[in-house]
Amino acid sequence: MKKPSFLPVLIATGFGSGFSPFAPGTAGALLATLIWFGLSLVVSEICLIWLTVAFILLFTLAGVWAVNRLESYWGEDPSRVVVDEMVGVWISLLAAPAGNVWYVLGAFMLFRFLDIFKPLGIRRMESFPGGIGVMMDDILAGIYSFVVLIIARWLLA
């Protein structure tokens, strides 16, 4: 059997974090969170927002493309595909103030909770075909996490 191309594997596995033997989805979300947090310490808040939006758009499109390329090799939505978790946690992190560890942890944990248990119609998103279905459930979990964190920030302000 032919091996899949390197670039779709690199993208879909979140730079290899999806090959983690334990909780690959959490590993991918953690990598994305660490990337975001590192950036939050070195760029302005407005720059961080724009970079995060760019990452979300770029990795959503690249993720759909990569998953569609890999489905014939790995089957539908294999656990090693974590680019969707990366995008979802970045959406959640849009609600976190730059450099605030507690909001970052909250965004990460809330996103993972919603991604794992898939309430509120999140599971239905998996019925979309191919890479879109793989990405959409995590995008919706990220949106729900974002909304909850924005409300929490408003209530705590």
Side-chain angles (χ1 to χ4, degrees):
M1 184 172 176
K2 189 176 168 194
K3 275 179 58 172
S5 300
F6 175 74
L7 186 58
V9 171
L10 182 71
I11 293 166
T13 63
F15 306 106
S17 62
F19 289 117
S20 169
F22 177 75
T26 299
L30 180 60
L31 174 64
T33 301
L34 293 173
I35 290 168
W36 185 92
F37 189 72
L39 284 171
S40 79
L41 299 175
V42 297
V43 300
S44 69
E45 190 143 8
I46 193 70
C47 183
L48 181 64
I49 291 168
W50 283 109
L51 281 171
T52 306
V53 169
F55 283 168
I56 291 165
L57 295 174
L58 176 68
F59 280 84
T60 297
L61 294 173
V64 169
W65 171 80
V67 169
N68 286 339
R69 297 268 185 248
L70 294 172
E71 227 173 34
S72 63
Y73 297 97
W74 293 350
E76 289 184 19
D77 201 4
S79 62
R80 70 185 89 163
V81 171
V82 299
V83 66
D84 49 335
E85 277 85 3
M86 294 176 76
V87 168
V89 82
W90 282 328
I91 293 170
S92 180
L93 286 164
L94 281 170
N100 186 308
V101 174
W102 297 112
Y103 275 102
V104 171
L105 285 173
F108 174 79
M109 293 188 324
L110 183 57
F111 168 73
R112 287 304 294 148
F113 175 83
L114 292 173
D115 183 35
I116 291 167
F117 292 104
K118 300 187 187 311
L120 306 169
I122 294 171
R123 186 167 310 281
R124 263 190 255 136
M125 297 294 108
E126 294 176 326
S127 65
F128 286 101
I132 292 174
V134 170
M135 299 299 293
M136 282 306 298
D137 66 312
D138 295 276
I139 288 171
L140 188 55
I143 291 169
Y144 286 158
S145 300
F146 170 84
V147 169
V148 169
L149 286 170
I150 287 293
I151 292 169
R153 283 185 69 180
W154 179 73
L155 290 173
L156 295 171

